Amino acid sequence: MILILLGTVGYRIYTDGVDGLTENLTPQAVVSGVNGLKIKLQYSGDRLPDDASVPVQAVMQKPELPTGCESTSLAMALNTLGFPVEKTTIVDNYLVYATEDYKVGFSGSPYSEEGAGIWPPGLAKTARNYLKEQSTMLWAHDLSGDTLEELYPYIAAGYPVLLWVTVDYGTPNFTGYDYEYHGITYQWYGNEHCVVLSGYSKTNNTVTLVDPMQGEITQDASAISDICNAVGNYAVAIY
């Protein structure tokens, strides 16, 4: 590993074969390929801008995918990063399915009103299924456990974040179906919803969400943070 420090900006260079070593790093600028190397440019925390956004084009999940918020949000994130993939292509060719085990796969069908959902481990794997077929060094990372504000550096770096909230932006309706995975307890809630975090304003204490049910909306950051904390701080980013 080569490490070059320049003032308060650090350049970390990793070969393409050590993704495991970078899994938990927070990128705060760009990821690109140079001579086959993966480069992560990281700024110190005090350089994080007060306001930042990523231009995410809204895609609506309905009518095709009444319960396909996760696949639709993933398609939006991929589109933003330069991959023109359709939401239904994600569902048909890449989505991981699992019977009544939301953490590792989608339970039911996104094409049905009776479909359920999928948690970050399964959606990250879904994204990787797609990314493996592309000429890219980007990868999907499960960020479960990071608070809302800890996701801001990804936005400042230009990476949209898939974020689990509630469909009505209210209190999660937990059903009692809990699953353990790698030390994390995933609690299923009936009003589960996945959106794209595309911007934040520390100045106004707001976040911008691109909701596959509502389109682009602005929400109070503290309220969204409370929801995220309540459901378990579930998120995925591709970088």
Side-chain angles (χ1 to χ4, degrees), residues 61-69 71-72 87-88 91 110-112:
Q61 66 187 78
K62 292 183 175 181
E64 297 88 352
L65 306 176
T67 53
C69 59
S71 295
T72 304
K87 61 185 180 183
T88 50
V91 170
Y111 288 106
S112 169

Side-chain angles (χ1 to χ4, degrees), residues 130-142:
Y130 175 82
L131 293 168
K132 286 176 184 177
E133 297 182 2
Q134 314 307 311
S135 298
T136 181
M137 298 177 73
L138 297 177
W139 202 239
H141 301 262
D142 182 350

Side-chain angles (χ1 to χ4, degrees), residues 20-200:
L21 297 180
T22 67
E23 180 74 23
N24 296 317
L25 291 178
T26 299
Q28 297 181 338
V30 298
V31 176
S32 61
V34 178
N35 297 324
L37 296 178
K38 176 175 289 187
I39 297 178
K40 295 182 184 293
L41 173 63
Q42 295 186 300
Y43 290 98
S44 60
D46 59 355
R47 293 176 63 96
L48 184 69
D50 288 336
D51 304 271
S53 63
V54 182
V56 176
Q57 183 66 42
V59 176
M60 298 294 100
Q61 66 187 78
K62 292 183 175 181
E64 297 88 352
L65 306 176
T67 53
C69 59
E70 303 96 343
S71 295
T72 304
S73 291
L74 175 57
M76 284 193 276
L78 288 169
N79 292 169
T80 303
L81 295 171
F83 303 100
V85 63
E86 299 287 339
K87 61 185 180 183
T88 50
T89 300
I90 294 293
V91 170
D92 294 342
N93 299 331
Y94 303 101
L95 182 62
V96 179
Y97 290 88
T99 302
E100 297 184 0
D101 194 350
Y102 315 107
K103 69 180 184 290
V104 295
F106 192 94
S107 179
S109 170
Y111 288 106
S112 169
E113 292 281 358
E114 303 303 316
I118 185 172
W119 286 138
L123 195 62
K125 185 175 181 180
T126 296
R128 292 167 191 158
N129 288 342
Y130 175 82
L131 293 168
K132 286 176 184 177
E133 297 182 2
Q134 314 307 311
S135 298
T136 181
M137 298 177 73
L138 297 177
W139 202 239
H141 301 262
D142 182 350
L143 305 179
S144 294
D146 285 2
T147 65
L148 181 65
E149 191 159 340
E150 288 174 331
L151 300 175
Y152 289 176
Y154 295 87
I155 304 302
Y159 304 107
V161 177
L162 302 172
L163 189 69
W164 274 255
V165 290
T166 56
V167 70
D168 50 3
Y169 296 98
T171 302
N173 300 322
F174 292 109
T175 63
Y177 290 96
D178 299 346
Y179 300 91
E180 294 286 339
Y181 188 72
H182 289 184
I184 298 176
T185 299
Y186 293 88
Q187 303 180 76
W188 182 254
Y189 53 101
N191 51 346
E192 179 264 352
H193 195 41
C194 181
V195 301
V196 180
L197 173 66
S198 66
Y200 70 86

Side-chain angles (χ1 to χ4, degrees), residues 203-223:
T203 304
N204 299 319
N205 192 40
T206 59
V207 290
T208 302
L209 306 176
V210 186
D211 187 322
M213 295 285 284
Q214 301 184 43
E216 184 176 293
I217 59 176
T218 299
Q219 295 283 301
D220 178 80
S222 297

